mmCIF file of all heavy atoms in Angstrom:
data_model
loop_
_atom_site.group_PDB
_atom_site.id
_atom_site.type_symbol
_atom_site.label_atom_id
_atom_site.label_comp_id
_atom_site.label_asym_id
_atom_site.label_seq_id
_atom_site.Cartn_x
_atom_site.Cartn_y
_atom_site.Cartn_z
ATOM 1 N N LEU A 109 108.896 91.688 130.928
ATOM 2 C CA LEU A 109 107.702 91.058 131.421
ATOM 3 C C LEU A 109 106.579 92.071 131.518
ATOM 4 O O LEU A 109 105.426 91.823 131.237
ATOM 5 C CB LEU A 109 107.973 90.405 132.784
ATOM 6 C CG LEU A 109 108.741 89.086 132.740
ATOM 7 C CD1 LEU A 109 109.125 88.661 134.145
ATOM 8 C CD2 LEU A 109 107.949 88.004 132.021
ATOM 9 N N GLU A 110 106.950 93.333 131.941
ATOM 10 C CA GLU A 110 105.960 94.370 132.048
ATOM 11 C C GLU A 110 105.297 94.700 130.704
ATOM 12 O O GLU A 110 104.082 94.903 130.669
ATOM 13 C CB GLU A 110 106.558 95.642 132.647
ATOM 14 C CG GLU A 110 106.964 95.525 134.087
ATOM 15 C CD GLU A 110 108.335 94.793 134.294
ATOM 16 O OE1 GLU A 110 109.125 94.668 133.307
ATOM 17 O OE2 GLU A 110 108.552 94.266 135.440
ATOM 18 N N HIS A 111 106.102 94.681 129.671
ATOM 19 C CA HIS A 111 105.546 94.926 128.330
ATOM 20 C C HIS A 111 104.563 93.777 127.951
ATOM 21 O O HIS A 111 103.449 94.070 127.438
ATOM 22 C CB HIS A 111 106.622 94.971 127.265
ATOM 23 C CG HIS A 111 107.500 96.170 127.355
ATOM 24 N ND1 HIS A 111 108.769 96.185 126.744
ATOM 25 C CD2 HIS A 111 107.381 97.379 127.947
ATOM 26 C CE1 HIS A 111 109.308 97.380 126.935
ATOM 27 N NE2 HIS A 111 108.483 98.083 127.687
ATOM 28 N N PHE A 112 104.952 92.541 128.187
ATOM 29 C CA PHE A 112 104.063 91.437 127.829
ATOM 30 C C PHE A 112 102.794 91.492 128.653
ATOM 31 O O PHE A 112 101.719 91.232 128.128
ATOM 32 C CB PHE A 112 104.798 90.083 128.026
ATOM 33 C CG PHE A 112 105.745 89.796 126.881
ATOM 34 C CD1 PHE A 112 107.098 90.071 126.982
ATOM 35 C CD2 PHE A 112 105.266 89.245 125.707
ATOM 36 C CE1 PHE A 112 107.964 89.837 125.975
ATOM 37 C CE2 PHE A 112 106.160 88.969 124.632
ATOM 38 C CZ PHE A 112 107.500 89.252 124.789
ATOM 39 N N GLU A 113 102.859 91.871 129.948
ATOM 40 C CA GLU A 113 101.632 92.029 130.733
ATOM 41 C C GLU A 113 100.731 93.138 130.202
ATOM 42 O O GLU A 113 99.545 92.994 130.085
ATOM 43 C CB GLU A 113 101.993 92.298 132.196
ATOM 44 C CG GLU A 113 102.584 91.105 132.877
ATOM 45 C CD GLU A 113 103.127 91.426 134.314
ATOM 46 O OE1 GLU A 113 103.196 92.606 134.711
ATOM 47 O OE2 GLU A 113 103.477 90.467 135.021
ATOM 48 N N ARG A 114 101.412 94.265 129.868
ATOM 49 C CA ARG A 114 100.633 95.420 129.382
ATOM 50 C C ARG A 114 99.906 95.157 128.064
ATOM 51 O O ARG A 114 98.805 95.657 127.831
ATOM 52 C CB ARG A 114 101.624 96.595 129.202
ATOM 53 C CG ARG A 114 101.038 97.841 128.663
ATOM 54 C CD ARG A 114 102.111 98.926 128.635
ATOM 55 N NE ARG A 114 101.749 100.036 127.815
ATOM 56 C CZ ARG A 114 102.580 100.953 127.384
ATOM 57 N NH1 ARG A 114 103.836 100.954 127.764
ATOM 58 N NH2 ARG A 114 102.184 101.947 126.629
ATOM 59 N N PHE A 115 100.536 94.334 127.227
ATOM 60 C CA PHE A 115 99.965 94.098 125.889
ATOM 61 C C PHE A 115 99.340 92.737 125.768
ATOM 62 O O PHE A 115 99.192 92.181 124.664
ATOM 63 C CB PHE A 115 101.037 94.309 124.828
ATOM 64 C CG PHE A 115 101.556 95.721 124.800
ATOM 65 C CD1 PHE A 115 102.825 96.103 125.198
ATOM 66 C CD2 PHE A 115 100.696 96.737 124.343
ATOM 67 C CE1 PHE A 115 103.287 97.353 125.147
ATOM 68 C CE2 PHE A 115 101.133 98.089 124.311
ATOM 69 C CZ PHE A 115 102.430 98.377 124.707
ATOM 70 N N GLN A 116 98.854 92.102 126.890
ATOM 71 C CA GLN A 116 98.203 90.816 126.803
ATOM 72 C C GLN A 116 96.997 90.919 125.830
ATOM 73 O O GLN A 116 96.302 91.915 125.829
ATOM 74 C CB GLN A 116 97.664 90.436 128.205
ATOM 75 C CG GLN A 116 98.737 89.790 129.038
ATOM 76 C CD GLN A 116 98.162 89.311 130.358
ATOM 77 O OE1 GLN A 116 97.047 88.859 130.432
ATOM 78 N NE2 GLN A 116 98.981 89.304 131.372
ATOM 79 N N GLY A 117 96.860 89.865 125.053
ATOM 80 C CA GLY A 117 95.779 89.859 124.064
ATOM 81 C C GLY A 117 96.179 90.389 122.689
ATOM 82 O O GLY A 117 95.474 90.228 121.696
ATOM 83 N N GLU A 118 97.300 91.041 122.594
ATOM 84 C CA GLU A 118 97.770 91.650 121.331
ATOM 85 C C GLU A 118 98.487 90.607 120.482
ATOM 86 O O GLU A 118 99.129 89.711 121.011
ATOM 87 C CB GLU A 118 98.691 92.836 121.592
ATOM 88 C CG GLU A 118 98.052 94.000 122.315
ATOM 89 C CD GLU A 118 96.952 94.684 121.500
ATOM 90 O OE1 GLU A 118 96.924 94.505 120.246
ATOM 91 O OE2 GLU A 118 96.133 95.357 122.098
ATOM 92 N N GLU A 119 98.435 90.828 119.187
ATOM 93 C CA GLU A 119 99.136 90.004 118.230
ATOM 94 C C GLU A 119 100.604 90.508 118.155
ATOM 95 O O GLU A 119 100.873 91.686 118.342
ATOM 96 C CB GLU A 119 98.517 90.127 116.816
ATOM 97 C CG GLU A 119 97.065 89.693 116.759
ATOM 98 C CD GLU A 119 96.887 88.180 116.920
ATOM 99 O OE1 GLU A 119 97.762 87.426 116.451
ATOM 100 O OE2 GLU A 119 95.846 87.785 117.467
ATOM 101 N N LEU A 120 101.513 89.547 117.917
ATOM 102 C CA LEU A 120 102.887 89.937 117.762
ATOM 103 C C LEU A 120 103.650 88.957 116.847
ATOM 104 O O LEU A 120 103.175 87.848 116.629
ATOM 105 C CB LEU A 120 103.599 90.080 119.102
ATOM 106 C CG LEU A 120 104.013 88.799 119.826
ATOM 107 C CD1 LEU A 120 105.138 89.218 120.857
ATOM 108 C CD2 LEU A 120 102.895 88.204 120.591
ATOM 109 N N ARG A 121 104.787 89.436 116.357
ATOM 110 C CA ARG A 121 105.715 88.621 115.605
ATOM 111 C C ARG A 121 106.948 88.537 116.543
ATOM 112 O O ARG A 121 107.343 89.524 117.122
ATOM 113 C CB ARG A 121 106.180 89.216 114.323
ATOM 114 C CG ARG A 121 105.133 89.081 113.228
ATOM 115 C CD ARG A 121 105.683 89.434 111.910
ATOM 116 N NE ARG A 121 104.674 89.305 110.896
ATOM 117 C CZ ARG A 121 104.452 90.069 109.896
ATOM 118 N NH1 ARG A 121 105.294 91.082 109.664
ATOM 119 N NH2 ARG A 121 103.489 89.879 109.029
ATOM 120 N N PHE A 122 107.512 87.325 116.647
ATOM 121 C CA PHE A 122 108.705 87.205 117.478
ATOM 122 C C PHE A 122 109.627 86.162 116.960
ATOM 123 O O PHE A 122 109.229 85.289 116.135
ATOM 124 C CB PHE A 122 108.289 86.847 118.944
ATOM 125 C CG PHE A 122 107.535 85.598 119.101
ATOM 126 C CD1 PHE A 122 108.195 84.434 119.519
ATOM 127 C CD2 PHE A 122 106.168 85.511 118.922
ATOM 128 C CE1 PHE A 122 107.515 83.244 119.692
ATOM 129 C CE2 PHE A 122 105.451 84.334 119.105
ATOM 130 C CZ PHE A 122 106.176 83.206 119.474
ATOM 131 N N GLU A 123 110.892 86.268 117.370
ATOM 132 C CA GLU A 123 111.944 85.296 117.001
ATOM 133 C C GLU A 123 112.533 84.763 118.272
ATOM 134 O O GLU A 123 112.823 85.492 119.190
ATOM 135 C CB GLU A 123 113.067 85.968 116.181
ATOM 136 C CG GLU A 123 112.642 86.291 114.764
ATOM 137 C CD GLU A 123 113.802 86.766 113.910
ATOM 138 O OE1 GLU A 123 114.975 86.632 114.362
ATOM 139 O OE2 GLU A 123 113.529 87.247 112.826
ATOM 140 N N MET A 124 112.806 83.440 118.254
ATOM 141 C CA MET A 124 113.457 82.771 119.353
ATOM 142 C C MET A 124 114.941 82.772 119.109
ATOM 143 O O MET A 124 115.406 82.834 117.977
ATOM 144 C CB MET A 124 112.990 81.314 119.421
ATOM 145 C CG MET A 124 111.493 81.106 119.533
ATOM 146 S SD MET A 124 110.837 81.564 121.132
ATOM 147 C CE MET A 124 111.667 80.343 122.167
ATOM 148 N N LYS A 125 115.694 82.747 120.209
ATOM 149 C CA LYS A 125 117.155 82.660 120.059
ATOM 150 C C LYS A 125 117.545 81.271 119.558
ATOM 151 O O LYS A 125 118.536 81.115 118.827
ATOM 152 C CB LYS A 125 117.832 82.931 121.387
ATOM 153 C CG LYS A 125 117.792 84.389 121.819
ATOM 154 C CD LYS A 125 118.468 84.588 123.160
ATOM 155 C CE LYS A 125 118.356 86.063 123.560
ATOM 156 N NZ LYS A 125 118.875 86.276 124.910
ATOM 157 N N GLU A 126 116.812 80.275 120.012
ATOM 158 C CA GLU A 126 117.064 78.843 119.611
ATOM 159 C C GLU A 126 115.808 78.320 118.918
ATOM 160 O O GLU A 126 114.703 78.674 119.307
ATOM 161 C CB GLU A 126 117.387 77.972 120.848
ATOM 162 C CG GLU A 126 118.624 78.424 121.597
ATOM 163 C CD GLU A 126 119.920 78.208 120.838
ATOM 164 O OE1 GLU A 126 119.982 77.231 120.017
ATOM 165 O OE2 GLU A 126 120.841 79.040 120.993
ATOM 166 N N PRO A 127 115.936 77.445 117.935
ATOM 167 C CA PRO A 127 114.764 76.922 117.252
ATOM 168 C C PRO A 127 113.804 76.148 118.221
ATOM 169 O O PRO A 127 114.289 75.513 119.153
ATOM 170 C CB PRO A 127 115.357 75.944 116.236
ATOM 171 C CG PRO A 127 116.775 76.359 116.066
ATOM 172 C CD PRO A 127 117.196 76.959 117.358
ATOM 173 N N TRP A 128 112.544 76.312 117.997
ATOM 174 C CA TRP A 128 111.525 75.551 118.737
ATOM 175 C C TRP A 128 110.710 74.859 117.669
ATOM 176 O O TRP A 128 110.180 75.498 116.761
ATOM 177 C CB TRP A 128 110.655 76.479 119.578
ATOM 178 C CG TRP A 128 109.648 75.743 120.397
ATOM 179 C CD1 TRP A 128 109.904 75.087 121.567
ATOM 180 C CD2 TRP A 128 108.251 75.596 120.146
ATOM 181 N NE1 TRP A 128 108.738 74.532 122.027
ATOM 182 C CE2 TRP A 128 107.727 74.820 121.175
ATOM 183 C CE3 TRP A 128 107.424 76.025 119.128
ATOM 184 C CZ2 TRP A 128 106.365 74.506 121.234
ATOM 185 C CZ3 TRP A 128 106.091 75.679 119.157
ATOM 186 C CH2 TRP A 128 105.579 74.967 120.214
ATOM 187 N N ASP A 129 110.667 73.563 117.749
ATOM 188 C CA ASP A 129 109.958 72.738 116.807
ATOM 189 C C ASP A 129 110.405 73.034 115.368
ATOM 190 O O ASP A 129 109.624 73.118 114.407
ATOM 191 C CB ASP A 129 108.447 72.941 116.953
ATOM 192 C CG ASP A 129 107.620 71.780 116.381
ATOM 193 O OD1 ASP A 129 108.188 70.678 116.242
ATOM 194 O OD2 ASP A 129 106.432 71.963 116.120
ATOM 195 N N GLY A 130 111.719 73.254 115.215
ATOM 196 C CA GLY A 130 112.326 73.426 113.902
ATOM 197 C C GLY A 130 112.240 74.832 113.325
ATOM 198 O O GLY A 130 112.642 75.022 112.174
ATOM 199 N N GLN A 131 111.770 75.776 114.068
ATOM 200 C CA GLN A 131 111.702 77.154 113.538
ATOM 201 C C GLN A 131 112.030 78.177 114.596
ATOM 202 O O GLN A 131 111.978 77.877 115.780
ATOM 203 C CB GLN A 131 110.359 77.460 112.825
ATOM 204 C CG GLN A 131 109.195 77.560 113.821
ATOM 205 C CD GLN A 131 107.861 77.794 113.106
ATOM 206 O OE1 GLN A 131 107.203 76.804 112.773
ATOM 207 N NE2 GLN A 131 107.481 79.033 112.891
ATOM 208 N N VAL A 132 112.364 79.385 114.135
ATOM 209 C CA VAL A 132 112.687 80.472 115.059
ATOM 210 C C VAL A 132 111.760 81.664 114.943
ATOM 211 O O VAL A 132 111.656 82.425 115.916
ATOM 212 C CB VAL A 132 114.170 80.970 114.905
ATOM 213 C CG1 VAL A 132 115.167 79.936 115.323
ATOM 214 C CG2 VAL A 132 114.412 81.460 113.486
ATOM 215 N N SER A 133 111.081 81.840 113.829
ATOM 216 C CA SER A 133 110.173 82.975 113.637
ATOM 217 C C SER A 133 108.710 82.515 113.788
ATOM 218 O O SER A 133 108.320 81.479 113.217
ATOM 219 C CB SER A 133 110.322 83.581 112.217
ATOM 220 O OG SER A 133 111.610 84.079 112.074
ATOM 221 N N PHE A 134 107.948 83.286 114.540
ATOM 222 C CA PHE A 134 106.570 82.956 114.828
ATOM 223 C C PHE A 134 105.671 84.182 114.807
ATOM 224 O O PHE A 134 106.132 85.302 114.970
ATOM 225 C CB PHE A 134 106.438 82.299 116.238
ATOM 226 C CG PHE A 134 107.191 81.057 116.428
ATOM 227 C CD1 PHE A 134 108.546 81.080 116.827
ATOM 228 C CD2 PHE A 134 106.620 79.831 116.104
ATOM 229 C CE1 PHE A 134 109.217 79.901 117.018
ATOM 230 C CE2 PHE A 134 107.335 78.641 116.307
ATOM 231 C CZ PHE A 134 108.629 78.689 116.747
ATOM 232 N N GLU A 135 104.384 83.929 114.631
ATOM 233 C CA GLU A 135 103.353 84.946 114.850
ATOM 234 C C GLU A 135 102.373 84.323 115.856
ATOM 235 O O GLU A 135 102.121 83.135 115.839
ATOM 236 C CB GLU A 135 102.633 85.264 113.536
ATOM 237 C CG GLU A 135 103.455 85.993 112.572
ATOM 238 C CD GLU A 135 102.698 86.494 111.327
ATOM 239 O OE1 GLU A 135 101.475 86.588 111.415
ATOM 240 O OE2 GLU A 135 103.352 86.744 110.342
ATOM 241 N N GLY A 136 101.819 85.194 116.674
ATOM 242 C CA GLY A 136 100.902 84.692 117.652
ATOM 243 C C GLY A 136 100.282 85.827 118.463
ATOM 244 O O GLY A 136 100.339 87.004 118.093
ATOM 245 N N ARG A 137 99.721 85.436 119.640
ATOM 246 C CA ARG A 137 99.055 86.409 120.534
ATOM 247 C C ARG A 137 99.585 86.190 121.941
ATOM 248 O O ARG A 137 99.833 85.088 122.354
ATOM 249 C CB ARG A 137 97.589 86.206 120.486
ATOM 250 C CG ARG A 137 96.725 87.120 121.279
ATOM 251 C CD ARG A 137 95.219 86.892 121.111
ATOM 252 N NE ARG A 137 94.805 85.526 121.079
ATOM 253 C CZ ARG A 137 94.592 84.749 122.160
ATOM 254 N NH1 ARG A 137 94.789 85.273 123.340
ATOM 255 N NH2 ARG A 137 94.221 83.523 122.045
ATOM 256 N N ILE A 138 99.728 87.304 122.660
ATOM 257 C CA ILE A 138 100.155 87.217 124.043
ATOM 258 C C ILE A 138 99.007 86.721 124.863
ATOM 259 O O ILE A 138 98.008 87.444 125.064
ATOM 260 C CB ILE A 138 100.677 88.567 124.574
ATOM 261 C CG1 ILE A 138 101.788 89.123 123.658
ATOM 262 C CG2 ILE A 138 101.145 88.416 126.029
ATOM 263 C CD1 ILE A 138 102.168 90.573 123.964
#
Side-chain angles (χ1 to χ4, degrees):
L109 284 172
E110 292 79 18
H111 290 162
F112 282 97
E113 288 173 353
R114 178 175 164 194
F115 296 111
Q116 279 186 31
E118 296 295 340
E119 301 289 326
L120 78 159
R121 284 192 180 143
F122 61 97
E123 286 188 13
M124 304 288 296
K125 289 180 181 173
E126 299 292 327
W128 184 77
D129 203 19
Q131 69 182 90
V132 292
S133 297
F134 297 90
E135 290 187 21
R137 182 174 43 81
I138 304 169

